[in-house]
Amino acid sequence: MSKNLAKNYNPKDFEERIYRDWEEKGCFKSSVNKDKKPFTIVMPPPNITGQLHMGHALDDTLQDILIRWKRMDGYESLWIPGTDHASIATEVKVVDRIKQETGKTKYEVGREEFLKKAWEWKDEFGGKIVNQVKKLGASCDWDKERFTMDAGCNKAVTKFFVKLYEEGHIYRGNRIINWCPDCLTTLSDAEVEHEDMEGFFWHIKYPIKDSDEYLEIATTRPETMLGDSGIAVHPDDERYAHLVGKVAILPLIGREIPIVADEYVDKEFGTGAVKMTPAHDPNDFEVGKRHGLEEINVMHDNATMNELAGKYEGMDRYECRKVLVNDLDEAGYLLKVEKHDHAVGTCYRCHTVIEPRLSLQWFVKMDELSKPAIEILKSQELKFVPEKFDKTYLQWLENIRDWCVSRQLWWGHQIPAYYCQDCGEVVVSEDAPTSCPKCNSSNFKQDDDVLDTWFSSGLWPFEVLGWPEKTPELDYYYPTSVLVTGYDIIFFWVVRMAFSGMFCMNEKPFDHVLVHGLVRDSQGRKMSKSLGNGINPLDIIDEFGADALRFTLATGNSPGNDMRFYMERVEFARNFNNKLWNASRFVFMNLEDETLLENLDRNAVSKDLTLADKWIISRANRIVGEVTDNMDKFELGIALQKAYEFTWSEYCDWYIEIVKPRLYGEDRDAKRAALYTLTYVLEKVLKLLHPFIPFITEEIYSYLPTVDGLIITAEYPRYSEDDNMEIEEEKMNLIMEAIRNVRNVRTEMDVPPSKKAKIIIVPSSDKKSAMEDGQDYFKALAFASDVEIRDNKDGIPEDAVAIVIDGVELFIPLDELVDFEKERERLSKEKEKAISEIKRVEGKLNNPGFMGKAPEKLIEEEKAKKEKYEEILKTIEERLSKL
């Protein structure tokens, strides 16, 4: 006897078991196979600092949908998982833990002990997020899991740095960088977030030496004036032409600073004269280089003022600003203060206002490296989905500045630069040097700094495949097929992978970038700890199952757009899974007679296939074509919507109801044809849905007696011209439209399903055969006691309810629908009730006390009630007169 599903759908009964089974049977593994076309995805590696959040869940769901689909579609599909060391974020966590456990700073415990603690953190938390990703159903090749600081990645990063250096793309120099005074490290431009803040323009008088003249200078950061070393005006600004070459006196300090002419200055902005602070502003730095201005850094690493700030030494930058402005005012140098709201750069980790400052750092020259990355987009070798993100990518690359890659941290890839302690020679090498090329000394010290996290993760698509070694995997799987990522890290990560891939591999890192938005709460707010509106995906999985969460994320998502997360949609997803479960259980229940399973194929049943059978087979075939087309275009949400609508409405609500009489009848050939169709279409439905809801589809598939093996490795359905039956589809669509209309009329007239009624059908000549083929369906689904098909309307009762659709008129004699005596009795009671309500309202409206004291709004409400009951009374009287 055929086995059947459990009575109730409960994901906890099988989700973990199925995932374990997939892993044990090696279903996720992939290896070089020249007979197959590869399809490769590298997982954006989640940080080892946190746990799975809704952003990860969306990201991983979309990747798993693609990888499962392509695996079934005959590709050698590889999804490489991994985790990221997340330099700054992890260091902050480890520093906090050391502080809590020992009360010491990282400097007090020392680098070696600190790194030991950091690796312990990685071992503790790195595995946690992996297990959480598995709960979602991610079908990654876990044997190929990587960590951005494992030995292979470290080798790749070192090779990349040295290769860039040797080819002249890396240099060390004093330049303006973004500095976080709290994290005490540099930040790349991409790691600076701009927040709107209230501020001021302080207008300060800078006297001209040996003159009564002065220049009016406006600044938003007066504390930096302590590092001023010049003033710039535009060469064509006639107002200041006579001052170029002269010197001004720095207020309060008395330092002489030159006045220079430079086209950087905007004549129309402010006063047209700009103070130059080359050590504290990137634009001033460039102007200063052109004019030989002194670079005076007046701050410590923690944004307190240093010894060059004079009397302000030791003050915090904002405290200094307050005291300095007061001193300027008292000395007569402060001309005016204007309110000025502007965007201020903040650290993306701790949100401290960053401080542009001069610092000796390692930089990557971006002018040449960015060109191939721009070209692959313009030539359409690399494509964004949706295309609108082309602009974000290009805007970033076309305006990119040299990239500061050194970080004043200990957790990360240590820079492979070595300094001779005897002569100062710098050696950049993959291995620690043993002899100085300049003085033969062996006394070397490696650079203390580590590399920007994005320097290593930029190599991710090819380092995980074995680069810099020329491995078979690198040759076969690279370039990868698609990168799935959020729009918020296009410039952080995507552009870096693009230029790194072109530089190291001379080939793009991926064919497509599928961009998704953020998962927001039901009110459209970003999920955050501070708002307390975050939803833990693991809680959803625990309550509703992984399939329900995946269904919700996939249907709510369209490329590039944010989505709102509603619990009601999770419940809806669970209800759909329950519907699929119950429908499948119904099918299996009717397969218990094993003799019917013999010859359950198309040839054996073709002569017995009915119109409904052919319609549902053809519709399933059409949906296969449409879903595949949507998947090819990365329209995953639309693909799932179509598969779901077909399953719920056409297969479950229509076909299963149509087929029940045959299943319960005595005609075994008719029953076999019905069972063939039910199982044939169910198999297609399960395969279409598997990439989206893998657990329930695998569980149901294991009970389907017409298939062998696992659905995860089964062949994905393909559109077949043999299953294309347009005539049957047209006929059945007409029948279904007619049935829907009959049902609507019965509902409007409050006729119970138990009350059967005759249906007279008058079709046009071209619709007649469809109506004849549909007679049984009208009896089963439109509650018809009898179906009569006529060539004309002669003899049809005048009071018959008429329904008109395309080429067909349907009539239901009123006395078939209504028990006249009971209906008159019911309507008479409704009439009495309506008259009573009208009298009650009129009583109020005719009462001077009520009309004099009641609010206008209440009076209007009573008048509206009177109109409503009068309209109801009119309708009742019309229906009574017809009866």
Side-chain angles (χ1 to χ4, degrees), residues 671-686:
K671 189 172 184 179
R672 179 179 279 113
L675 290 173
Y676 164 80
T677 308
L678 281 167
T679 53
Y680 181 77
V681 175
L682 179 58
E683 182 184 335
K684 273 188 165 52
V685 161
L686 294 173

Side-chain angles (χ1 to χ4, degrees), residues 9 22 65 68 546-552 573 576-577 580 640 685-686 688-699 711:
Y9 165 62
W22 286 331
I65 289 168
R68 285 178 182 273
D547 287 328
L549 175 61
R550 290 170 63 111
F551 186 101
T552 304
F576 170 70
N577 292 341
L580 177 63
L640 177 53
V685 161
L686 294 173
L688 282 180
L689 289 170
H690 176 73
F692 303 96
I693 47 174
F695 291 108
I696 186 174
T697 49
E698 187 71 87
E699 180 71 358
I711 196 170

Side-chain angles (χ1 to χ4, degrees), residues 14-277:
F14 55 84
E15 287 192 349
E16 281 193 28
R17 165 174 53 80
I18 285 175
Y19 195 88
R20 202 164 49 245
D21 194 39
W22 286 331
E23 281 199 286
E24 288 170 0
K25 290 178 177 169
C27 297
F28 307 155
K29 291 181 180 178
S30 178
S31 56
V32 174
N33 182 351
K34 297 292 186 182
D35 295 331
K36 283 185 175 184
K37 194 175 176 182
F39 182 85
T40 321
I41 296 179
V42 290
M43 176 188 287
N47 295 351
I48 57 168
T49 56
Q51 66 171 28
L52 193 73
H53 57 64
M54 274 301 172
H56 292 132
L58 173 61
D59 213 52
D60 291 342
T61 295
L62 298 180
Q63 290 171 84
D64 197 47
I65 289 168
L66 291 170
I67 214 79
R68 285 178 182 273
W69 167 50
K70 286 295 187 179
R71 187 186 288 122
M72 294 175 76
D73 206 30
Y75 287 75
E76 187 59 45
S77 297
L78 171 64
W79 184 14
I80 301 181
T83 47
D84 188 23
H85 65 281
S87 199
I88 295 179
T90 305
E91 182 141 331
V92 167
K93 297 275 189 185
V94 177
V95 166
D96 286 347
R97 175 178 273 193
I98 291 171
K99 188 78 174 172
Q100 288 169 7
E101 290 178 354
T102 68
K104 294 180 180 179
T105 66
K106 73 172 188 178
Y107 302 103
E108 288 171 328
V109 299
R111 186 169 195 141
E112 189 177 336
E113 183 63 22
F114 172 82
L115 288 176
K116 183 182 168 189
K117 292 287 185 186
W119 279 104
E120 285 174 5
W121 177 280
K122 185 264 172 188
D123 292 339
E124 183 181 344
F125 289 95
K128 281 186 178 180
I129 198 158
V130 166
N131 290 328
Q132 292 166 358
V133 170
K134 287 182 176 182
K135 278 189 174 293
L136 193 66
S139 58
C140 310
D141 188 339
W142 294 107
D143 289 347
K144 294 183 174 65
E145 183 188 347
R146 299 296 299 273
F147 174 56
T148 52
M149 267 176 60
D150 64 29
C153 289
N154 191 56
K155 182 179 180 181
V157 168
T158 304
K159 178 78 175 178
F160 182 45
F161 188 94
V162 174
K163 182 175 164 68
L164 285 169
Y165 182 79
E166 289 174 347
E167 294 187 26
H169 297 293
I170 280 190
Y171 64 93
R172 187 173 185 242
N174 266 305
R175 292 183 69 84
I176 292 288
I177 48 87
N178 305 304
W179 181 263
C180 175
D182 187 51
C183 296
L184 295 180
T185 184
T186 55
L187 300 171
S188 69
D189 289 346
E191 291 168 320
V192 176
E193 294 179 348
H194 290 88
E195 299 177 17
D196 291 329
M197 294 186 181
E198 292 182 355
F200 298 92
F201 260 136
W202 285 272
H203 290 252
I204 303 166
K205 184 189 336 182
Y206 281 61
I208 308 300
K209 185 182 179 183
D210 299 329
S211 162
D212 293 334
E213 283 189 87
Y214 66 85
L215 284 169
E216 183 178 335
I217 307 290
T219 179
T220 58
R221 298 162 68 215
E223 66 279 6
T224 64
M225 68 179 286
L226 300 171
D228 285 358
S229 59
I231 292 174
V233 297
H234 195 278
D236 300 333
D237 196 332
E238 294 176 2
R239 294 173 294 176
Y240 305 124
H242 66 292
L243 295 177
V244 175
K246 294 187 176 181
V247 296
I249 307 298
L250 184 62
L252 299 178
I253 307 302
R255 186 164 65 240
E256 294 184 1
I257 55 176
I259 300 168
V260 300
D262 196 281
E263 290 188 347
Y264 156 71
V265 180
D266 182 355
K267 288 191 297 182
E268 308 303 321
F269 185 75
T271 63
V274 185
K275 76 186 196 69
M276 291 289 111
T277 321

Side-chain angles (χ1 to χ4, degrees), residues 196-378:
D196 291 329
M197 294 186 181
E198 292 182 355
F200 298 92
F201 260 136
W202 285 272
H203 290 252
I204 303 166
K205 184 189 336 182
Y206 281 61
I208 308 300
K209 185 182 179 183
D210 299 329
S211 162
D212 293 334
E213 283 189 87
Y214 66 85
L215 284 169
E216 183 178 335
I217 307 290
T219 179
T220 58
R221 298 162 68 215
E223 66 279 6
T224 64
M225 68 179 286
L226 300 171
D228 285 358
S229 59
I231 292 174
V233 297
H234 195 278
D236 300 333
D237 196 332
E238 294 176 2
R239 294 173 294 176
Y240 305 124
H242 66 292
L243 295 177
V244 175
K246 294 187 176 181
V247 296
I249 307 298
L250 184 62
L252 299 178
I253 307 302
R255 186 164 65 240
E256 294 184 1
I257 55 176
I259 300 168
V260 300
D262 196 281
E263 290 188 347
Y264 156 71
V265 180
D266 182 355
K267 288 191 297 182
E268 308 303 321
F269 185 75
T271 63
V274 185
K275 76 186 196 69
M276 291 289 111
T277 321
H280 290 276
D281 183 278
N283 296 312
D284 295 2
F285 176 78
E286 299 297 337
V287 175
K289 283 289 183 195
R290 290 195 285 272
H291 299 279
L293 301 180
E294 193 179 355
E295 294 160 354
I296 306 167
N297 183 355
V298 296
M299 289 187 199
H300 292 297
D301 289 356
N302 61 357
T304 57
M305 310 310 290
N306 64 21
E307 67 280 358
L308 296 179
K311 66 174 273 192
Y312 306 101
E313 182 182 0
M315 291 183 186
D316 169 80
R317 53 183 164 168
Y318 298 121
E319 181 190 359
C320 172
R321 177 183 296 181
K322 188 177 177 182
V323 175
L324 180 67
V325 167
N326 188 59
D327 289 350
L328 287 168
D329 191 22
E330 287 185 356
Y333 291 114
L334 187 63
L335 297 172
K336 63 177 177 178
V337 182
E338 289 179 319
K339 193 173 181 185
H340 175 68
D341 297 343
H342 57 142
V344 176
T346 61
C347 172
Y348 81 115
R349 278 290 165 201
C350 65
H351 301 287
T352 300
V353 174
I354 60 109
E355 193 63 50
R357 68 193 293 263
L358 192 65
S359 183
L360 184 61
Q361 303 285 347
W362 287 95
F363 294 87
V364 177
K365 283 184 188 174
M366 291 308 307
D367 49 357
E368 290 302 317
L369 287 175
S370 61
K371 288 176 183 175
I374 292 169
E375 183 52 37
I376 55 173
L377 185 84
K378 289 187 172 178

